[in-house]
Structures are given as C-alpha cells and as structure tokens.
Amino acid sequence: MTLQNARKRQAPINAGQKLKQKRKGTSKKRNDDEELLSSEFEDDDDDRVANTPAIGDADSSDEDETAQEKRLRLTKEYLEKLRTYKADDAGSDDEKDVVGEKLQEEILQESGKLQKPIADTCCKPQDTDFQYFRGHRLPVTAVVVSSDASIMFSASKDCSIIKWNFSDKKKLAVIKGGKKFSPKTNHQSIILALALSSDSKYLASAGHDKNIHIWDAETCNHLHAFRGHRNHVSGLAFRLNTHMLFSSSYDYTVKLWNLDVMGYVETLFGHQNAVLSCDSFVRDRCVTAGGRDGTVRIWKIPEESQLVYHGHNSSIECARFINEDYLVSGNDEGMVSIWNVNKKKPIVTIKSAHVPKEGSTNQPWISAVGALRNTDLIATGSCDGVIRVWKCTERFIALLPLFEIAVEGFVNDIQFTNNGYLVAAIGQEHRLGRWSRIKSARNRVMVVKLF
C-alpha cells in the first residue's frame, strides 16, 4: 500500500471574508511603509542639519536653491542696491522715495522718455580735456562710438574707415578703399555715414558708391553689401538693441534692412528731395531730414505711416532724437529747432544759432547736431569755428546756451558718450560737398571731456 501526502481541505471563503482579509493586509503594508518613510525622513533631517553651511559662509553655493528662492534672493539684492542709489545726493531717510524714483527713472529710460538733468554738471573744457585722433588724409565725414565707449570708428572722404581704441588713441584696424578695390567688398568713393549696432556686433558704412557695406565690428572683416539705392547714401542708423538698419539717400527714399538675415525689408517713400540724414532710437521708427523739401519726417514702421513736420523755409541738413518724444534739427540758415513729436511745428527755434566769422557775409549752416539721449544736453556744429553746447529746460520749453568749444574747420558729425565725452568729426570741407575749404583746419577726430 502506497502512502501519499494528504492535504487538509479548507472550507471555502466567501466574498465578505476575502474583502476583510484584503483590508487587513493593506493596512499592515501601509503601517510598514509609514515606518520606513518615517525613518528615512529622520535620516534626511539629520543629514540636512549636519550639512547646513554656517550663516555668512563664503563657500556656500546657489546650486541647491529653488527657482523661487533665487528670485527672492535677487530681488533682495536689487532692492538693496536701490536703497543705496544716490545715497550721497538724496539726503533723505525715506527709502521708498529713493526706490520709487530709481524705478521710475529706469522705466522712462527703457521707453525712451526720460529727460535726465546732465547739462548743469558740464563745464567748459580746458586745454587738457582735448584729445585728437589723426589718421585720415581727407576730411572726416562720420564717427561712431560703442555703447561702452571702448572703441570708435571714423570714416573719411579718402574712402577709408579707421577703428580706434578710445582710451589710448591707438589704431586697431584700417579698412582701405578706393578705385583699386572691388565694389563688392570695399568703398570706391567718399564715405558719408557710419552706424554701429548697440551690441557692437555690426558696423555699417555707406556713401557715394550707393552701396551699404556691413562689417564685423570686432575683426573688421567684410560680411555683406546691400545694393538698392540709386544715388548717394547720406545717412545710416540702427534701432536701439536690434539689428534693424535704416538708410537715407539722395534718391528721395528711406530703406529698412534686417542684418539678422542680411536681407532687405522695405522702402519708404514720401520725401520730395534728397534725404540728408536719418536717426532711430527705441521704438520701431525713424526720423529723417528732407533737405530742400523743408520737412522733417518720422516713419512709423508697424503702422505703415509717416508724420510730416514743417517749420523750416530752407534746407534741413540734420535731425537727431533727444528722446522718443523730442528731437532736434538744424538747417542751412543757422537755425536750430526743437520738435515735439505730437506737434507739427517746432516748439523752440533759435535763429542764427551760429553766426558768421568776422569779415564773412555767409551765414554758416548747421552741419551737425548731437544729443545725449534721454538727457537735456545737445550740441550743434557748423564752420564758424565753434561747437555750441546747449541745455534744454524742463519739458523742453526753452533752449539755453551753455558754452562754446573752439574748433577750426567744418564739424561734420557729433556724438556723445554716456561717460561724458563729446566726439566730433572735423574736416577742411563739408561732408556733402566742396563748396568751400578751410585750409588752416586739420582732418581729424576731436574728443572733449564735458563731465
């Protein structure tokens, strides 16, 4: 007889008993998990306390902080900087006033509507405040300075462009031009205009050869040449913090170019004569001086419209934005005007802002105007032997003369730097022609410290 292992048969379990056992097992498993997690948390707390750096530890890193903690930290640092802003000048214990004023100033500056009082801090320069950059054989026609005032470019009727170190006057590079060079990569004729992008990435140049050449501002290598204008290109301007380039020409048109894709965007029609200069600032718009058609125009690109301003009875030679709401212009009768973009006529006009030299009967025209953006400081140049520096009163109600800077020759361009320098392109001849010549003048760039 074979013996077999016998199993005791269990009684069948009904549905209620199964559910009860399942709940009991789940409860037991949950208790075990809670005990395990609790022990892990206790270990983590011990480790966290042990690894917490001491307060003020210089070696602590920001890698473990969350995004919210980082925002909070940066906000506290920014507010601390605001509290110390203008601490010497404020003389007030009210931190909210100082912070509020600074924030308001930054908002107005970013929108291009600030009028910061700078003119009263300027003083007439002494002999030691002058610097001269020499290198061009013929009259200097244009000059641009980088936003950080580290480098400068100058252009001339000798078809060349020179890159300078702004601090020590050293030549960093020379871009030559002339008939022996290819029109695809170099200028073959007089250069009339320069423009430098806000990030100092692109340099644009143009002139009598109708082409707009784009250069790498760092290496001075040629990148591209825009063709499209049918006559001399008289002005160039980059929109602030973009690579959008405006160009004005003797062919009565203004063109817009996109340097991010190195392409043409559109042509703006409206002027009835040669457009002599252009300028741009924060918004997507451009101001132009219409020469003999007697108008200043603001081109609103998104709206595809233009604003036409009348007020000069003669040729308007130059125009420049002071901020987004006001601009300055000069004409060939020596008149300087301040314009509000919301009014069709100039709000301030100074007749005979520059007077003829002794023994001369010719009225010197305004060949260049410059403005320190978002401030009350402007300057005008002619051929009467001085650059005049002006102060715009609050809300641009009046234009007051500050002082004169002696200079021999034609003032063909004026630029300001944020650290207080005035830069002027000086030549024996006017940049647009050879109507007269001052033989005693030198072709150079003049840099003057104002504040």
Side-chain angles (χ1 to χ4, degrees), residues 249-250 252 270-277 288-297 309-310 312-318 330-334 363 365 430 432 435:
S249 172
Y250 276 42
Y252 302 6
H271 279 292
Q272 304 302 311
N273 210 305
V275 187
L276 300 184
S277 71
T288 54
R292 290 292 171 186
D293 74 0
T295 65
V296 173
R297 299 179 187 237
Y309 303 88
H310 299 272
H312 291 277
N313 296 322
S314 59
S315 176
I316 302 178
E317 299 291 310
C318 44
N331 72 0
D332 64 352
E333 292 183 347
Q363 174 64 47
W365 64 59
H430 192 283
L432 298 179
W435 303 286

Side-chain angles (χ1 to χ4, degrees), residues 99 106 115 117 155 162 177 205 239-240 260 336 357 435 439:
V99 173
E106 290 185 354
Q115 187 189 5
I162 300 179
S205 60
R239 182 188 171 196
L240 186 67
D260 288 326
V336 176
K357 291 183 177 179
W435 303 286
K439 294 183 179 180

Side-chain angles (χ1 to χ4, degrees), residues 48 105 122 154 166 190 199 219 276 282 323 327 363 392 411:
R48 191 176 292 111
E105 180 179 317
C122 298
S154 59
F166 192 79
I190 295 173
D199 58 0
T219 63
L276 300 184
V282 176
N323 60 24
L327 55 97
Q363 174 64 47
C392 301
V411 181

Side-chain angles (χ1 to χ4, degrees), residues 11-57:
I13 302 176
N14 56 28
Q17 290 176 329
K18 286 183 179 182
L19 181 60
K20 186 176 180 180
Q21 291 180 359
K22 186 176 181 180
R23 290 177 177 174
K24 185 177 180 180
T26 303
S27 176
K28 181 178 181 181
K29 183 178 180 180
R30 185 182 301 152
N31 293 334
D32 294 340
D33 291 342
E34 289 177 354
E35 292 178 1
L36 180 61
L37 291 173
S38 177
S39 62
E40 289 179 354
F41 287 151
E42 291 175 358
D43 294 339
D44 289 344
D45 291 339
D46 295 339
D47 294 340
R48 191 176 292 111
V49 172
N51 295 329
T52 299
I55 297 176
D57 188 0

Side-chain angles (χ1 to χ4, degrees), residues 134-158:
R134 301 179 180 90
H136 292 289
R137 295 182 294 104
L138 296 180
V140 184
T141 56
V143 64
V144 288
V145 185
S146 62
S147 57
D148 60 355
S150 61
I151 58 173
M152 178 178 69
F153 293 90
S154 59
S156 169
K157 287 187 176 183
D158 60 13

Side-chain angles (χ1 to χ4, degrees), residues 102-297:
K102 177 60 177 175
L103 291 174
Q104 182 68 18
E105 180 179 317
E106 290 185 354
I107 292 172
L108 291 174
Q109 184 170 0
E110 290 177 359
S111 62
K113 297 184 178 182
L114 179 66
Q115 187 189 5
K116 191 175 181 180
I118 291 294
D120 289 335
T121 64
C122 298
C123 58
K124 187 173 183 177
Q126 305 300 318
D127 293 340
T128 56
D129 296 325
F130 288 82
Q131 299 181 65
Y132 297 99
F133 294 69
R134 301 179 180 90
H136 292 289
R137 295 182 294 104
L138 296 180
V140 184
T141 56
V143 64
V144 288
V145 185
S146 62
S147 57
D148 60 355
S150 61
I151 58 173
M152 178 178 69
F153 293 90
S154 59
S156 169
K157 287 187 176 183
D158 60 13
C159 311
S160 69
I161 301 171
I162 300 179
K163 179 181 179 180
W164 306 87
N165 187 316
F166 192 79
S167 60
D168 58 14
K169 301 191 297 182
K170 290 184 178 180
K171 290 183 184 178
L172 301 179
V174 178
I175 304 174
K176 296 182 179 180
K179 296 293 184 182
K180 63 181 180 180
F181 293 94
S182 170
K184 295 182 179 180
T185 57
N186 293 83
H187 286 286
Q188 289 190 317
S189 189
I190 295 173
I191 302 173
L192 295 179
L194 290 176
L196 184 64
S197 60
S198 303
D199 58 0
S200 299
K201 182 177 182 180
Y202 296 116
L203 173 72
S205 60
H208 281 198
D209 56 12
K210 309 174 189 178
N211 297 329
I212 301 172
H213 291 280
I214 307 300
W215 314 85
D216 185 324
E218 179 66 26
T219 63
C220 291
N221 292 330
H222 188 269
L223 300 177
H224 193 76
F226 290 119
R227 297 171 179 84
H229 283 294
R230 294 177 296 169
N231 209 329
H232 304 339
V233 181
S234 58
L236 295 170
F238 277 101
R239 182 188 171 196
L240 186 67
N241 297 326
T242 72
H243 295 149
M244 302 300 293
L245 177 68
F246 292 93
S247 62
S248 59
S249 172
Y250 276 42
D251 63 9
Y252 302 6
T253 68
V254 179
K255 291 185 183 292
L256 178 60
W257 316 85
N258 186 347
L259 270 62
D260 288 326
V261 296
M262 290 297 172
Y264 160 82
V265 179
E266 65 176 317
T267 300
L268 309 174
F269 298 92
H271 279 292
Q272 304 302 311
N273 210 305
V275 187
L276 300 184
S277 71
C278 66
D279 191 30
S280 184
F281 194 28
V282 176
R283 288 186 284 186
D284 195 2
R285 55 178 58 185
C286 173
V287 61
T288 54
R292 290 292 171 186
D293 74 0
T295 65
V296 173
R297 299 179 187 237

